Amino acid sequence: MSGFRHVAIIGLGLLGGSIGLAVREFLPGVVSTGYDADPAARQRAAERGLTGMVCASAAEAVAGADLVILCVPVGAMGAAAAEIAGALAPGAVVSDVGSSKRTVAEALAAALPGAAIIPAHPVAGTEHSGPDAGFAALFRKRWCIITPPDNADPAQVAALTAFWEALGAKVETMSAGHHDLVLAVTSHLPHLIAYTIVGTASDLEEVTRGEVIKYSAGGFRDFTRIAASDPTMWRDVFLSNRDAVLEMLDTFSADLDALRTAIVSRDGDALFEHFTRTRAIRRSIIAEGQDDARPDFGRSDHAGG
Ligand code: NAP
C-alpha cells in the first residue's frame, strides 16, 4: 500500500490510462479521478473505465486528491500544472511521468510555487498512444525513476516509491540532471537514430518501398517500430532534453566515425572487437530481465535477419 487515498491523473493516454487501470487493479481501495484535454479521449476513458471517474475539468479531477500525476506530453506539463494551481488539496503530492526531468521539474515549480513536487519517469511504454493504448501491466518489472528535488519530504518520496512498487515497478531515485543524461543515451538517442534510418531507407531511390517492407526483418523492422512512436511526445522530448541529447549525439557521431574508418581501412579486428563488446552488453540486459533472450524477441513469426 502506498498511503495515498485519492489519485488524480491528468492526461488519459497510454501512460495515464495505464496508471488508472493499474490503480484499479492493484490498489482497489484507492479513489481515482482523471481528466484529458481532448473531449474524445475523455469519452473513451470513461467507456474503458480508465479512472473511477472522468471529470470535465482538471481542477475538478484534482479536488481532494492527495496524489496528482501529470501524464501529458513534456511540452504541455507547465500548462497542465497551471490549470490545477489553486485547486490542489493542501499537502497534495504533484508528480508526473515525463520522459525528461530537468525542464519538467522547472516548469512544474514555476506553475505551482510551494507545492510538493516529486517528478518521476516510469521507463515503460509502447509505440501506441491515446486512451485505447493503456493496460494495467505496463509497469510490471519496469524501472520507475524518481527525481526528488533536494528539499523533498522523505516521507512523500517513500509514499510515491510505494505507489509505483504497488503498480509492479522497480524504483530508483536519482537527480533530474543524471536522469536526463542516462535517458539521452538509453532512450532518446536510439529513437533519434530510428527516426533517421527509417527516413533514410524510405528516401532511397535505388531501393523500392516494397523492398524496404519485404526485407524489413533484417534488423530494420525494430527501427520501424520505434520510429512509429508518437510525434508530439518525441518532438517535446528532444526539445526539452536538448543539452543531454546533443552531448550524447556528439559522442555517438565520433563512435560512428570510428566504425566508418574501420570499414574504410578494412580493419576487421576493430569491427570484431566492437561487436563482441556490444554483444556482451545485450547479454547483460537479458541477464537483468530487461528483455527477451529468444530469437527475434520471441516473435512467433521469426524470420531471421
Ligand atoms: P498520449 O497517449 O498521447 O497521452 C497524452 C494525453 O494528454 C493526450 O490525450 C493529450 O491530448 C492529453 N493532453 C495534452 N495536454 C493536456 C493538458 N494540458 N491537460 C490534459 N490533457 C492533456 O501520451 P503518452 O504516451 O501517455 O505520454 C504521456 C507522457 O508520458 C509524456 O510526457 C511522455 O514523455 C511520457 N512517457 C511516455 C512513454 C511512452 O512510451 N509513450 C513512456 C514513458 C513516459 P491531445 O492528444 O489532445 O494533446
Side-chain angles (χ1 to χ4, degrees):
M1 275 304 288
S2 67
F4 294 112
R5 292 181 315 278
H6 176 173
V7 179
I9 301 167
I10 306 299
L12 295 168
L14 171 66
L15 268 288
S18 296
I19 294 173
L21 291 172
V23 166
R24 300 197 78 182
E25 184 164 336
F26 304 121
L27 293 168
V30 172
V31 171
S32 61
T33 47
Y35 169 75
D36 195 288
D38 176 1
R42 286 204 296 278
Q43 187 180 336
R44 197 57 201 125
E47 285 162 5
R48 287 198 71 203
L50 298 183
T51 50
M53 192 195 294
V54 176
C55 302
S57 72
E60 193 187 322
V62 304
D66 48 9
L67 173 62
V68 176
I69 308 181
L70 303 177
C71 302
V72 303
V74 165
M77 288 289 178
E83 274 184 65
I84 59 170
L88 285 176
V93 171
V94 178
S95 189
D96 75 299
V97 294
S99 303
S100 65
K101 295 273 55 95
R102 217 161 42 85
T103 50
V104 168
E106 285 164 11
L108 298 190
L112 300 168
I117 298 163
I118 308 179
H121 175 205
V123 187
T126 73
E127 67 277 27
H128 302 297
S129 51
D132 280 305
F135 56 100
L138 178 64
F139 310 108
R140 209 173 100 79
K141 293 190 181 164
R142 297 290 162 218
W143 286 103
C144 180
I145 301 174
I146 298 183
T147 61
D150 291 342
N151 62 354
D153 176 350
Q156 291 179 329
V157 175
L160 190 62
T161 300
F163 173 81
W164 279 106
E165 286 174 348
L167 268 45
K170 304 180 287 182
V171 176
E172 189 92 64
T173 300
M174 63 180 73
S175 74
H178 189 67
H179 165 279
D180 287 356
L181 207 58
V182 171
L183 269 291
V185 71
T186 57
S187 171
H188 307 169
L189 191 58
H191 275 80
L192 195 67
I193 294 165
Y195 281 124
T196 312
I197 201 161
V198 172
T200 304
S202 73
D203 289 347
L204 281 178
E205 279 172 8
E206 57 271 41
V207 178
T208 66
R209 188 170 288 261
E211 285 173 312
V212 168
I213 294 164
K214 186 170 166 188
Y215 300 117
S216 68
F220 185 70
R221 184 169 61 171
D222 296 311
F223 284 115
T224 63
R225 185 188 65 75
I226 297 173
S229 299
D230 190 71
T232 304
M233 168 182 162
W234 284 97
R235 176 202 61 197
D236 287 3
V237 167
F238 289 118
L239 295 181
S240 67
N241 199 21
R242 183 171 172 269
D243 293 349
V245 167
L246 289 177
E247 189 179 331
M248 289 303 161
L249 196 55
D250 287 348
T251 306
F252 172 77
S253 299
D255 291 346
L256 191 61
D257 265 351
L259 285 179
R260 186 182 188 283
T261 302
I263 294 170
V264 168
S265 58
R266 296 188 167 82
D267 185 349
D269 288 346
L271 294 173
F272 189 83
E273 188 275 327
H274 187 91
F275 302 157
T276 303
R277 198 160 58 85
T278 54
R279 174 183 256 196
I281 292 169
R282 165 76 188 158
R283 285 181 174 160
S284 62
I285 289 170
I286 291 165
E288 285 181 25
Q290 290 296 301
D291 208 348
D292 195 320
R294 287 173 295 166
D296 203 23
F297 313 102
R299 289 181 182 122
S300 54
D301 59 343
H302 173 55

